[in-house]
Amino acid sequence: MGEIPVIQCRNLSRRFGSKTVLNNVSFEVYPGIIGLLGPNGAGKSTLIKLILGLDIPSSGGITLFGKTKVELGKIGFMPEAKAIIPSMKGFEFVAFAGELEGLKRKDALRRSHEILDCLSMGEARFRKLGEYSTGMIQKVKLAQALVHDPELLILDEPTAGLDPPARNQMLDYLSYFARQQGKSIVLSTHLLGDVQSVCDQVVVLNFGNCLASCSLETLVGNKENRYLIEIAGNQIDSISALGNLCIGTQDMGGFTKVFIQCESTAEINHIASQVLSAGGVIKKFIPLEGNLDDAFFALLDKQRMEKI
């Protein structure tokens, strides 16, 4: 891309005794909004700790902005945990976070009010955090991550617990800080819709392995040559008959979603014939419309099939 990667991992592993949480992970991501995806236990939290310098790798390494030494002033972190001081007022809490990052008290207070204005906190900033709703707490957590004006934001489940309007507002804020203020954002979330709404790039982890690191467009694929077939009947033989045309599967119990890539109408007709000849029953055969859910679960299922 001609740019210095915001984050670059090379053969990164983290082991705890005999348990390997990250296994030889390599990827690089560039300025923009990066979705960090994976089921529970995939290794996302461990990766975040390594990026923040709160843990050290067993092998391999990480560079941030091309440097191996973590410059914490360049990073803002919003944890998933509530992580507030209930007796503090909103603006005091954000200013306190700024002072912890090295800002002078006067500058921390000024920045606190600037960020809270940007997040439409109004008079609520003068109330104690213990009185805040979930949406207000999420805003204050984002504000404390932004108060020292970092280049990179790492956000862990920033829309957790939010109703749809508040969730959309949070995503709008993330887009604003990335597009208008030039910040890079790592968005760690289980909500695939959030990633598809705002992210440019995606990193997918599962069982400590990196399954994908690419642009969102690349992961989702070109709907002009990718298709979804739902196959019942003899599913195993039908999938085997597709050979290299099959790029992923998802077991749905009574039938299997099969993702294929082909280039021509003649090839599509041939695929249908192969499935029927193998004893499969085609329930659906449609173009793949760039759906992140389907692409994500296809990656997980492909990894599962490779381990069998």
Side-chain angles (χ1 to χ4, degrees):
M1 292 187 180
E3 298 176 281
I4 296 174
V6 175
I7 303 170
Q8 186 175 44
C9 295
R10 284 289 173 263
N11 307 119
L12 183 69
S13 294
R14 184 65 175 104
R15 294 178 289 275
F16 297 91
S18 61
K19 183 178 181 181
T20 299
V21 180
L22 290 174
N23 182 26
N24 204 35
V25 168
S26 294
F27 68 85
E28 54 190 38
V29 289
Y30 293 84
I33 307 181
I34 303 110
L36 178 59
L37 295 174
N40 290 333
K44 302 190 301 298
S45 296
T46 298
L47 177 61
I48 288 173
K49 289 177 182 177
L50 292 170
I51 293 171
L52 293 172
L54 300 176
D55 195 5
I56 57 175
S58 301
S59 60
I62 301 176
T63 61
L64 300 179
F65 305 101
K67 298 179 180 179
T68 55
K69 185 176 180 181
V70 177
E71 297 181 46
L72 292 181
K74 288 190 172 185
I75 305 175
F77 176 53
M78 176 181 174
E80 180 182 8
K82 202 170 184 180
I84 60 170
I85 303 173
S87 60
M88 267 189 161
K89 296 177 181 177
F91 81 92
E92 293 174 332
F93 178 74
V94 177
F96 177 59
E99 289 184 85
L100 293 177
E101 290 289 350
L103 298 181
K104 294 181 180 178
R105 176 68 174 168
K106 181 179 179 181
D107 293 333
L109 284 168
R110 175 182 57 80
R111 280 288 298 167
S112 172
H113 286 293
E114 287 176 357
I115 296 297
L116 292 171
D117 280 340
C118 189
L119 297 176
S120 304
M121 283 296 288
E123 295 298 311
R125 75 189 69 189
F126 299 108
R127 289 164 50 191
K128 292 183 179 180
L129 294 177
E131 302 172 3
Y132 276 19
S133 66
T134 299
M136 293 163 66
I137 289 173
Q138 293 299 88
K139 284 186 180 183
V140 165
K141 285 164 57 182
L142 178 59
Q144 63 80 32
L146 285 160
V147 66
H148 59 296
D149 197 23
E151 295 181 37
L152 172 63
L153 287 171
I154 300 178
L155 312 179
D156 196 357
E157 300 288 355
T159 60
L162 301 183
D163 59 28
R167 176 185 168 198
N168 290 337
Q169 185 183 51
M170 177 64 74
L171 295 175
D172 287 343
Y173 288 138
L174 301 191
S175 294
Y176 168 77
F177 289 118
R179 318 302 181 206
Q180 303 300 319
Q181 297 198 4
K183 299 190 182 302
S184 292
I185 299 174
V186 173
L187 173 59
S188 178
T189 181
H190 289 93
L191 300 175
L192 300 179
D194 287 3
V195 172
Q196 186 144 18
S197 293
V198 299
C199 290
D200 313 296
Q201 303 158 72
V202 184
V203 175
V204 181
L205 300 179
N206 195 30
F207 295 120
N209 300 120
C210 183
L211 305 188
S213 172
C214 56
S215 70
L216 178 65
E217 182 180 5
T218 298
L219 179 62
V220 167
N222 183 348
K223 65 182 180 181
E224 292 182 357
N225 60 12
R226 295 194 179 200
Y227 294 82
L228 164 66
I229 314 176
E230 292 184 357
I231 300 175
N234 190 336
Q235 299 163 52
I236 295 176
D237 288 347
S238 297
I239 294 168
S240 297
L242 296 176
N244 292 332
L245 294 176
C246 175
I247 57 174
T249 63
Q250 184 179 352
D251 184 2
M252 304 302 293
F255 65 95
T256 301
K257 287 186 176 182
V258 181
F259 305 91
I260 61 168
Q261 184 162 352
C262 56
E263 303 295 336
S264 66
T265 302
E267 197 169 29
I268 291 172
N269 292 334
H270 180 60
I271 287 167
S273 177
Q274 285 178 302
V275 170
L276 295 173
S277 296
V281 176
I282 298 175
K283 296 169 60 68
K284 186 182 292 185
F285 197 151
I286 58 173
L288 191 60
E289 297 183 355
N291 184 284
L292 179 58
D293 291 59
D294 288 337
F296 174 74
F297 287 111
L299 277 176
L300 300 189
D301 200 64
K302 183 178 180 181
Q303 182 192 36
R304 180 183 64 82
M305 294 293 288
E306 288 172 350
K307 288 186 174 184
I308 293 176

